[in-house]
């Protein structure tokens, strides 16, 4: 199925993004492998643990483990060319965001969770890998601060679930969701769309 | 039941505390919603995942999700008045700490865990939301450093479990535990009671 | 069984390492207890939650809870002598790394996980406590950056699983794995062996 191919490409891209973040913290090769793995498969892991969806997906697909760690190591080798690949990278990362979101929704649907939880399962799969990456690299999660990212995951999930509700054919649904998600994400990157920021300076409380 | 009302008020207050912390990191609206949710419901989520208490509580009560995210958004609007509400806020936060602790204990009791684990389940519910909030905001968890907070959770749990053991009527137990917990927490805030601090300066080991 | 004794010594040592890290962040006594507990038992907890191995091990052994928290408190008292105990400490920590790794592998084997997952369960048990300690203390996990540590866990797991495959007697296997792991870890400390570091300076992507 199409979605599986995109998933495989997506975890590769996410693993590479994790490896680069690890490199910025001067981690050793194990650190790179670990952060690559966590960035790529951490979102799905958190989703499975939240939903009680055992066994956790990647434990049944060792190939995903080799692939993400391999992609992390490969990134070390080709790091100096990564900037030139920037555009390709952003495209693949965006495809991953959409694919992760849809896969996450589908798993929660199968487990009969409430619609709102389905939505959150999709978003968790989409964005939690990046959050874990940033925690491991000791920085405030980027996904909570920058261009539309979580919002894209949210809107893709809404659209995908809406089209399921309207009983649109699965393949057409996937096509529409991907076109919509990629367009939204790439537009956000190009024109620097972002959500309003909330800035609060500290008072006595909770200093 | 009284405890449920207090719980609903408490998660609202915790969500607001999360939103303010997110604002101090200049997060966007999604970041605010996410940290608000995590601060309010993260403690119970960690408890459920630790105890294997599936499905995780909030997945069965979508209302909690809307409420915490709504409270986070509302905080953005009224942020400039928050300092004036400081006292009310600390009161509600303290009620939340007691309510979370008791609810956490009750869930572990129902699952037949050892008394020490019951105690830890209560404390986890009480304090882990704040810990997750601080991790997301990239700061050392405040609860591990400031005025009595975790200790209040600990002592409330001890008292509540002791009164259960003495077969005190549930409502009276709740009343006593709340009066005790609020008094202790508010006194700690007023007179800046805190636990002794352990300061250690680095040597060769583990630098 | 020998492994249990070593495990008990190991969680004590890990708890002390956690307490020292908490002291470097000027945490209060609760913070010390919490970080001590998490450093010692957090790796096994993450492993159990990943593998769906409920109930989580320490919830069935309250003794481990008392022991780790007690060790944390004890560390506060003897902190000024800790530097002199440095060598003993590193030895015990290394024994813990090996013991944790082997115990983690054994649990995943019993649950019939794929060999690669068994390996990862061993490593998770060995290193995740230290990662959680560093996250709580708001620093980049040391285990991802310094002398061979995760790599020792990895190689011990490989050796141990290899000897199981070769049907070597369990006690002999343990003996060989410990001698190998300790030698490797202590040599790495002595001669500062480490994995190559990946350094990447930020470009536009993912800034």
């Amino acid at each position: 199925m199409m979605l599986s191919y995109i998933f495989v490409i997506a975890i590769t891209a996410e693993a590479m993004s994790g490896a680069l973040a690890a490199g910025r913290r001067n981690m050793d090769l194990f650190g790179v492998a670990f952060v690559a793995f966590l960035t790529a498969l951490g979102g799905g892991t958190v989703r499975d643990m939240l939903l009680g969806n055992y066994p956790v997906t990647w434990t049944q697909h060792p190939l995903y483990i080799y692939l993400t760690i391999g992609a992390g190591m490969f990134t070390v080798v080709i790091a100096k060319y990564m900037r030139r690949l920037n555009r390709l990278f952003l495209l693949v990362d965006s495809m991953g965001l959409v694919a992760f979101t849809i896969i996450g929704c589908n798993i929660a649907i199968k487990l009969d969770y409430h619609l709102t939880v389905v939505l959150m399962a999709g978003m968790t799969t989409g964005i939690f890998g990046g959050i874990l990456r940033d925690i491991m690299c000791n920085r405030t999660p980027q996904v909570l601060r920058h261009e539309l990212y979580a919002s894209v995951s949210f809107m893709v999930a809404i659209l995908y679930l809406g089209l399921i509700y309207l009983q649109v054919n699965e393949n057409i649904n996937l096509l529409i969701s991907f076109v919509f998600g990629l367009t939204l994400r790439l537009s956000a990157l190009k024109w620097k769309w972002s959500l309003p920021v909330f800035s609060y300076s500290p008072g006595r409380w909770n200093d």
Side-chain angles (χ1 to χ4, degrees), chain A:
Chain A
M1 185 159 121
M2 206 56 208
L3 204 53
S4 314
Y5 289 113
I6 294 173
F7 176 75
V8 165
I9 296 172
I11 59 174
T12 307
E14 296 305 315
M16 295 176 83
S17 120
L20 291 182
R24 292 177 56 194
R25 290 294 185 207
N26 306 311
M27 289 190 187
D28 66 21
L29 290 187
F30 172 79
V32 172
F34 176 78
V35 177
F37 172 82
L38 204 67
T39 308
L41 298 174
T45 305
V46 171
R47 175 205 61 219
D48 286 344
M49 290 166 71
L50 269 177
L51 303 182
N53 183 37
Y54 287 103
V56 167
T57 310
W58 60 261
T59 64
Q60 309 303 301
H61 299 89
L63 188 67
Y64 297 167
I65 306 173
Y66 312 142
L67 188 66
T68 51
I69 292 178
M73 293 298 103
F74 183 63
T75 306
V76 173
V77 178
I78 63 154
K80 68 175 94 166
Y81 308 108
M82 286 304 286
R83 274 184 227 180
R84 248 183 278 168
L85 297 174
N86 199 12
R87 277 155 185 275
L88 174 64
F89 206 63
L90 289 174
L91 177 67
V92 175
D93 177 67
S94 305
M95 289 173 65
L97 180 61
V98 178
F100 282 8
T101 302
I102 291 174
I103 289 168
C105 288
N106 283 335
I107 286 176
I109 289 171
K110 250 180 229 153
L111 295 169
D112 268 330
Y113 275 98
H114 184 279
L115 196 63
T116 308
V117 179
V118 169
L119 192 69
M120 293 179 75
M123 293 179 72
T124 300
T125 314
I127 69 170
F128 230 97
I131 291 177
L132 291 175
R133 175 196 63 207
D134 291 341
I135 291 176
M136 286 301 160
C137 294
N138 196 21
R139 59 178 182 180
T140 303
Q142 303 301 296
V143 66
L144 308 177
R145 303 212 296 186
H146 278 202
E147 291 102 349
L148 296 190
Y149 193 85
S151 320
V152 173
S153 178
F154 177 75
M155 296 189 67
V156 165
I158 293 276
L159 176 65
Y160 179 73
L161 296 174
L163 294 178
I164 287 180
Y165 180 77
L166 297 174
Q167 298 185 309
V168 170
N169 170 285
E170 173 73 8
N171 286 326
I172 295 175
N173 189 343
L174 283 178
L175 185 69
I176 297 177
S177 297
F178 265 95
V179 169
F180 170 76
L182 287 180
T183 307
L184 186 60
R185 172 71 180 141
L186 296 176
S187 304
L189 281 168
K190 178 156 190 185
W191 290 292
K192 297 191 185 295
W193 292 347
S194 57
L195 288 180
V197 161
F198 172 43
S199 293
Y200 182 75
S201 54
R204 163 73 189 85
W205 155 256
N206 202 5
D207 228 339

